Amino acid sequence: MLAVLGSTGQLGGRVAARLANLGVAQRLIVRDPKRAPKLPGAEVVQASSYSDAKGMGRALTGVDTLFMVSAHDIIAFSRHQAGVKNLFVVPEDYKPTSAQDKEIPAYDRVQQHAALIYAAAAVGVQRIVYNSVMSAEADATFILARDHYHTEELIRGVGLNFTFLRMCLYADRVAAHCSNDGVIRGPAGEGRAAWVTRDDLADVIVATLTQSGHDRCTYDVTGPESLTMAETAEQLSVATGQKITYQPQTPHEARVTRSVSGLDNYDAERRALTGRGVSDLEVDILVSHFHQIATGELATVCDTVPKLTGHPAHSLADYLKEHPESYQHLIR
Ligand SMILES: NC(=O)c1ccc[n+]([C@@H]2O[C@H](COP(=O)([O-])OP(=O)(O)OC[C@H]3O[C@@H](n4cnc5c(N)ncnc54)[C@H](OP(=O)(O)O)[C@@H]3O)[C@@H](O)[C@H]2O)c1
């Protein structure tokens, strides 16, 4: 039996839908069965979170191959706690309730992953396909990429077979990296990113889940070209018909002025939800997200998408043409 985690989300939902289209039987392990996609050949099993080792052990019993979506990072977790996940800005009419108007509880994504991986190994899961990131190293520039390194190490450590899909940054979120005034501000220097679409990543994941020959393999997953932020801004200009520019910052300047793109919205959102602004750690996460581009950690283009799926990878221009909804906040 093949099991899929995260099917109520964007990436896991795409993977589950593709498997159903191929006629593959699957078990969807979700926190809330009401939100699980309704798909032919899919059974739905509930477990409250990755850290629910007993619930996960029950849900994973009889499973040999598992697709594991990485758990929410600390920023997504705080939105989830407040009930406004997947929104880039807090809605104007949002009113925190007394239950939401409280400190965000402590959260450790690697601990969530550890509980899940140990539970999987204990009930006999043979193989985990895991969405990692390109810069997953213990000392990665991007702070959140270190979680992925530790997760890969945990999976290797319990002796399971694995396939690690180290994705580049999502093309789907490029427009979200641009502030409403049409400027991308961040310490990305002259570095390049090989933006990849969630759809291409999902196709690669499904190939590794359904074909043999990917055991103990680690693949980078990128789009077909690597763009500087100035070139990225230019592509956004073409798609939106608006003037979009890139304003480079040093990491120090970004941190001190807290003017890196996205931070203003995120800070306002957090104040509305909890009465407090974002923490220094969260500022560092956003700053390091851009800085990893400057260091060249995301610049390499690879052929994993065409090789494993048989179709070319979508470019950023393709994505923007097909998804105008991704940049509506930039239309003035
Ligand atoms: N490359 C990039 O640019 C980029 C950008 C953003 C994110 N990412 C990564 O991509 C991953 C998947 O992205 P996505 O777009 O599919 O995210 P998403 O739409 O937020 O979906 C995440 C899924 O994982 C589930 N989940 C998260 N934490 C969990 C936990 N602790 N226990 C149980 N279930 C949990 C969620 O369940 P619920 O629906 O119940 O919450 C949801 O189904 C993210 O986790 C992140 O690591 C990459």
Side-chain angles (χ1 to χ4, degrees):
M1 171 62 80
L2 192 161
V4 172
L5 289 163
S7 63
T8 53
Q10 303 256 14
L11 183 61
R14 282 169 168 79
V15 170
R18 283 161 169 74
L19 289 170
N21 280 340
L22 292 172
V24 177
Q26 57 185 319
R27 181 178 298 170
L28 307 177
I29 303 175
V30 296
R31 298 200 261 213
D32 176 4
K34 287 196 292 297
R35 290 193 296 112
K38 287 170 191 42
L39 297 169
E43 62 181 39
V44 175
V45 176
Q46 195 265 346
S48 62
S49 94
Y50 292 175
S51 59
D52 170 15
K54 274 194 185 154
M56 277 295 169
R58 274 193 300 272
L60 287 166
T61 299
V63 168
D64 44 61
T65 300
L66 173 65
F67 171 55
M68 173 181 169
V69 170
S70 50
H72 291 312
D73 59 49
I74 181 67
I75 293 177
F77 172 76
S78 16
R79 288 179 179 166
H80 185 262
Q81 285 289 304
V84 293
K85 76 177 177 141
N86 294 335
L87 292 180
F88 187 56
V89 286
V90 71
E92 271 172 27
D93 59 354
Y94 180 82
K95 300 247 185 324
T97 65
S98 55
Q100 289 160 342
D101 186 12
K102 63 180 186 192
E103 201 160 345
I104 302 293
Y107 177 77
D108 183 332
R109 178 160 64 162
V110 178
Q111 274 181 5
Q112 294 271 326
H113 289 175
L116 169 65
I117 292 161
Y118 293 142
V123 299
V125 171
Q126 299 293 306
R127 175 172 174 243
I128 293 184
V129 174
Y130 174 66
N131 77 274
S132 184
V133 296
M134 257 172 96
S135 52
E137 297 298 338
D139 59 350
T141 304
F142 182 35
I143 292 169
L144 294 179
R146 300 173 197 171
D147 293 353
H148 291 278
Y149 166 82
H150 292 298
T151 303
E152 289 184 5
E153 288 298 294
L154 280 164
I155 294 171
R156 285 178 205 274
V158 293
L160 294 183
N161 269 330
F162 59 82
T163 307
F164 297 143
L165 297 165
R166 292 180 155 199
M167 61 176 143
C168 197
L169 296 177
Y170 287 151
D172 312 42
R173 291 193 41 82
V174 160
H177 298 316
C178 183
S179 293
N180 294 354
D181 60 359
V183 183
I184 305 174
R185 295 179 186 82
E190 301 297 313
R192 292 176 177 274
W195 311 102
V196 65
T197 68
R198 276 195 184 98
D199 280 327
D200 284 344
L201 177 61
D203 287 343
V204 167
I205 290 166
V206 169
T208 63
L209 286 169
T210 56
Q211 301 164 2
S212 59
H214 304 294
D215 279 358
R216 308 194 82 77
C217 291
T218 300
Y219 302 115
D220 286 345
V221 188
T222 74
E225 60 186 348
S226 196
L227 302 174
T228 64
M229 290 311 282
E231 290 165 351
T232 300
E234 182 52 37
Q235 298 228 355
L236 273 173
S237 298
V238 170
T240 60
Q242 314 280 325
K243 188 170 169 50
I244 309 291
T245 55
Y246 166 54
Q247 186 185 307
Q249 302 169 313
T250 64
H252 180 68
E253 188 187 358
R255 195 172 291 116
V256 170
T257 62
R258 298 165 84 94
S259 60
V260 58
S261 281
L263 186 56
D264 42 357
N265 282 334
Y266 179 45
D267 196 60
E269 175 190 87
R270 176 58 71 81
R271 278 179 204 288
L273 300 175
T274 68
R276 279 175 294 279
V278 296
S279 66
D280 288 346
L281 169 65
E282 288 162 315
V283 173
D284 279 344
I285 287 171
L286 284 180
V287 169
S288 66
H289 177 271
F290 281 97
H291 191 43
Q292 68 177 333
I293 299 173
T295 61
E297 285 162 64
L298 304 179
T300 306
V301 173
C302 66
D303 61 358
T304 305
V305 173
K307 223 165 147 181
L308 269 65
T309 70
H311 66 69
H314 290 82
S315 65
L316 177 61
D318 295 335
Y319 178 83
L320 294 172
K321 206 180 283 175
E322 288 164 23
H323 294 278
E325 75 285 357
S326 72
Y327 53 73
Q328 285 312 300
H329 66 291
L330 300 176
I331 307 291
R332 293 185 279 275

